[in-house]
Amino acid sequence: MAVAPCYGTGISRRQALMGAAALPLGALPLVASPGRARAQSQAGGAATATAFRLADETRATNIKVHWQAVTGADRYEVHRACAGHPAPVRVATVTGTTLDDYALPAEQTYTYGIRALDVSGAELSTSSTNTCRTFTPGGAFASYDNTRKSSLSLRAGLEADGIYYRYDFRSDADGFSQVVEETSTDGYTFTGNTVVLSRDATPELQDSKLESVNVVKNPATGQFVMWAHYENRSDYTLAETAVAVARPGGAFTFLGHSRPLGHESRDLTFFADIDGTGYVISAARNNSDLNLYRLTPDWLAVAELSAVLFPDQHREAPALVQADGTYYLFSSEAAGWYPSQGKYASAPSTAGPWSELREIGNPATFGAQSGGIVEVGDRHAMMANRWSANWRHPEAANQQRMLPITFHDGYASYDLFETVDYDAEAGTLIPVQRGRIVSAGGPANASSLSEDGPGEDLMYEPAKANDGDHMSKENYYKSGTVPFTWEVDLRRACRVDRINITTRLVNGSETYYEYTIDASEDGRVYNALVDESANRIAGFKTHRVTDTARYRYVRLTVTRIVNIHNENTADWARGINELTVFGAS
């Protein structure tokens, strides 16, 4: 049977077979002006590829490629290989660490190779992605909306003898109140209101609060086990764990609270390894370290402190998963309620050795913090916590952002997509992006340049804000003054569908930017697209654009930068990590 060609619609068959570098304008978001790739301490050698669909298409025939920045790299060559076709195609040379490859044939399997080159063109390292298949979705999908408060409907994980259980942990002005049990026969529709644990019946739970609650089933004993962070109702000085146990359908017996082996324990998570060993990972030493504890076989007590992970790195919200034989530990910065940079490390086993902490997502985790992880079939997704009800300028309710994760050879990546389609029964996740990225690598200019550059190292130049490297907090455009304008030339007239903006965060001194975004077809007459002159949100914002006109130039005007904690002017924190324009040419 003939195999369908593997080259995309923007590349000729001759170019595909020859691996030619020449691409027609608009085929891929090529980054202009090579020589601006950011040097990092990370040493390269890993990459991921994730299939996604565009919002106005029905098939997932686009692939987002991520790779790890390489120390000393000036630029990266990206090569695509298709199963059944021996010759890889060089699809782009870029200076960032991500690339979208659009309009590929469906039902084909691809891998990507990335060559890191120094300024002379010498190869520093190579890396390759997981295999990634484009596909035509089938069946009915629900949709998770990452632009507002949304809900995710997955079958409950606690099941015994055909009955599914879930527990509602309730609190009031006096702290923890009670745990209410609900049951279901299908894992989706729950009924019941049975109190299975309460402070009235348990003196140790009076004037307390429980956070980071994990309820799991021990397959060896058949019992439901609860581990939680235990504190006084009024403060966080105890730093203890709480443990309770129940038979399915029965009341919980509270086994007590304590510091595990004498160590402080705050934010925590539970992890069951494939051999049935249970672990608790918790923030210790005033959130300076993460401690990994192995539990007794019944999961009711700590057996040993297995490791102290990432000492003095101030991580919290740990989440541990295993994928393809590799362990990945995700965490957020201990930065209060505000958005912060997520990081992760990987290891061949829980015993290590663990890699260095690596940045993931973007410096503001797309307006949230690294949180828990859910499984949908063989896919994982980060449910990043947006604690916006706790901000100085609060939103109505806390929310979550669903960020599908791709793993490969110890490397992980996730991105924000406007929506994520999912089929819980089939175990399918489909990231959905509104428009192609049309701003990456476009010529950029600004009204004000930093006094720190541009110099020979090209630090803080305008092109940093649209170079395709949106992961590192140290990679940003820095103006010399405030107010200032920054503008990108899309190189052709485009429909603008969405604009994402990530602004610099300095932990503990988060700032919000007051700004507007307008656009022009000719560089002279501008129309308003976004008005955030009253913005009070720090770190990241995403804007849906409804104007259907076509524009070549998109301009950001920042009028004020303010410390969100004291409302003082904070020009010292100025910086645009990335401004991404999505649309169509």
Side-chain angles (χ1 to χ4, degrees):
M1 184 178 70
V3 180
C6 293
Y7 46 87
T9 58
I11 305 172
S12 72
R13 186 173 189 274
R14 180 176 179 274
Q15 288 171 330
L17 293 176
M18 296 181 64
L23 291 174
L25 187 64
L28 288 171
L30 300 179
V31 174
S33 304
R36 297 171 181 165
R38 180 176 51 89
Q40 270 194 358
S41 60
Q42 299 177 14
T48 60
T50 305
F52 67 96
R53 75 172 179 88
L54 295 175
D56 57 356
E57 298 176 353
T58 59
R59 301 184 301 171
T61 55
N62 315 285
I63 295 178
K64 190 175 293 289
V65 186
H66 273 280
W67 58 91
Q68 191 169 307
V70 177
T71 301
D74 179 74
R75 58 193 181 275
Y76 302 90
E77 285 184 359
V78 182
H79 298 254
R80 182 206 311 132
C82 177
H85 293 259
V89 179
R90 177 153 63 98
V91 295
T93 299
V94 300
T95 60
T97 55
T98 185
L99 176 76
D100 280 8
D101 198 1
Y102 300 111
L104 297 165
E107 321 308 330
Q108 297 288 349
T109 301
Y110 301 92
T111 57
Y112 291 80
I114 293 90
R115 296 179 67 224
L117 307 176
D118 68 12
V119 68
S120 71
E123 182 180 290
L124 298 176
S125 69
T126 61
S127 56
S128 61
T129 69
N130 52 293
T131 59
C132 184
R133 187 168 180 82
T134 55
F135 62 97
T136 302
F141 287 85
S143 185
Y144 190 94
D145 189 340
N146 277 312
T147 66
R148 60 180 179 82
K149 187 173 178 60
S150 191
S151 61
L152 180 65
S153 179
L154 301 179
R155 177 175 281 120
L158 289 171
E159 182 271 336
D161 298 324
I163 302 298
Y164 294 88
Y165 297 84
R166 80 179 176 194
Y167 297 97
D168 182 14
F169 283 72
R170 298 179 179 177
S171 300
D172 57 24
D174 295 320
F176 167 78
S177 173
Q178 60 187 10
V179 180
V180 173
E181 176 191 271
E182 298 174 307
T183 60
S184 170
T185 57
D186 63 5
Y188 293 99
T189 304
F190 284 81
T191 60
N193 191 35
T194 304
V195 176
V196 293
L197 184 67
S198 73
R199 68 179 177 218
D200 294 336
T202 312
E204 290 176 283
L205 289 173
Q206 295 176 7
D207 296 315
S208 70
K209 57 175 174 268
L210 298 179
E211 298 180 350
S212 303
V213 179
N214 293 251
V215 180
V216 294
K217 180 183 177 182
N218 186 324
T221 65
Q223 294 178 312
F224 289 168
V225 179
M226 181 203 80
W227 280 85
H229 172 201
Y230 178 96
E231 291 287 358
N232 290 319
R233 172 174 60 89
S234 58
D235 57 37
Y236 285 88
T237 58
L238 291 182
E240 296 181 339
T241 59
V243 185
V245 63
R247 285 287 176 187
F252 275 89
T253 298
F254 189 71
L255 301 181
H257 58 94
S258 64
R259 290 188 172 185
L261 304 179
H263 298 283
E264 287 184 352
S265 179
R266 289 188 169 87
D267 244 4
L268 64 78
T269 192
F270 175 90
F271 174 72
D273 209 345
I274 55 177
D275 64 359
T277 303
Y279 295 89
V280 164
I281 307 166
S282 67
R285 203 163 61 85
N286 197 28
N287 287 328
S288 295
D289 311 334
L290 287 178
N291 284 0
L292 174 67
Y293 301 99
R294 180 177 61 82
L295 304 181
T296 54
D298 58 10
W299 298 355
L300 300 181
V302 169
E304 67 172 3
L305 174 61
S306 297
V308 177
L309 303 175
F310 319 121
D312 296 316
Q313 294 299 306
H314 302 280
R315 310 304 299 174
E316 62 182 6
L320 180 61
V321 299
Q322 191 258 33
D324 299 324
T326 300
Y327 295 79
Y328 298 83
L329 178 59
F330 297 84
S331 61
S332 75
E333 293 185 25
W337 298 112
Y338 287 93
S340 65
Q341 174 81 67
K343 291 186 178 181
Y344 75 97
S346 59
S349 74
T350 55
W354 287 90
S355 71
E356 76 280 11
L357 284 169
R358 300 172 179 139
E359 297 164 335
I360 189 171
N362 80 347
T365 311
F366 310 107
Q369 294 183 1
S370 183
I373 295 175
V374 297
E375 295 184 33
V376 182
D378 60 355
R379 292 294 306 273
H380 294 78
M382 165 63 63
M383 301 304 295
N385 295 314
R386 182 179 172 89
W387 301 114
S388 50
N390 302 85
W391 294 348
R392 179 180 176 90
H393 302 283
E395 296 179 338
N398 295 326
Q399 304 173 25
Q400 288 186 308
R401 298 289 182 255
M402 187 181 188
L403 313 174
I405 309 172
T406 302
F407 302 99
H408 178 59
D409 197 24
Y411 183 72
S413 67
Y414 56 62
D415 256 292
L416 177 73
F417 293 85
E418 183 176 57
T419 57
V420 180
D421 290 346
Y422 66 96
D423 184 335
E425 295 302 308
T428 305
L429 283 179
I430 307 173
V432 182
Q433 181 170 297
R434 182 165 296 278
R436 300 185 180 198
I437 296 175
V438 294
S439 56
N445 62 78
S447 64
S448 172
L449 300 179
S450 170
E451 65 273 16
D452 302 313
E456 292 182 356
D457 58 0
L458 299 177
M459 287 185 65
Y460 305 136
E461 64 172 355
K464 292 289 186 180
N466 67 308
D467 61 0
D469 179 3
H470 58 72
M471 188 164 61
S472 171
K473 66 171 58 177
E474 301 306 321
N475 187 73
Y476 57 91
Y477 156 65
K478 181 179 181 181
S479 68
T481 60
V482 179
F484 66 89
T485 62
W486 176 93
E487 183 174 80
V488 59
D489 177 357
L490 305 180
R491 295 160 294 192
R492 56 207 177 274
C494 296
R495 184 189 74 226
V496 177
D497 296 328
R498 182 169 290 281
I499 301 174
N500 290 350
I501 179 171
T502 305
T503 56
R504 186 184 176 206
L505 286 174
V506 181
N507 290 347
S509 299
E510 290 83 1
T511 58
Y512 60 80
Y513 285 51
E514 296 176 355
Y515 62 92
T516 59
I517 300 175
D518 52 15
S520 172
E521 195 281 327
D522 58 8
R524 294 187 298 272
V525 178
Y526 285 79
N527 294 330
L529 298 183
V530 174
D531 185 355
E532 287 291 339
S533 54
N535 174 52
R536 295 295 181 268
I537 293 176
F540 175 84
K541 293 208 73 172
T542 180
H543 303 286
R544 177 82 175 270
V545 177
T546 57
D547 187 332
T548 58
R550 305 180 80 81
Y551 298 105
R552 176 167 175 170
Y553 303 94
V554 174
R555 182 175 65 185
L556 167 74
T557 300
V558 175
T559 54
R560 202 162 72 110
I561 303 173
V562 180
N563 185 316
I564 206 166
H565 303 287
N566 56 27
E567 303 297 332
N568 291 334
T569 299
D571 292 356
W572 48 267
R574 62 193 182 277
I576 307 298
N577 283 97
E578 199 77 3
L579 189 147
T580 305
V581 182
F582 300 85
S585 57

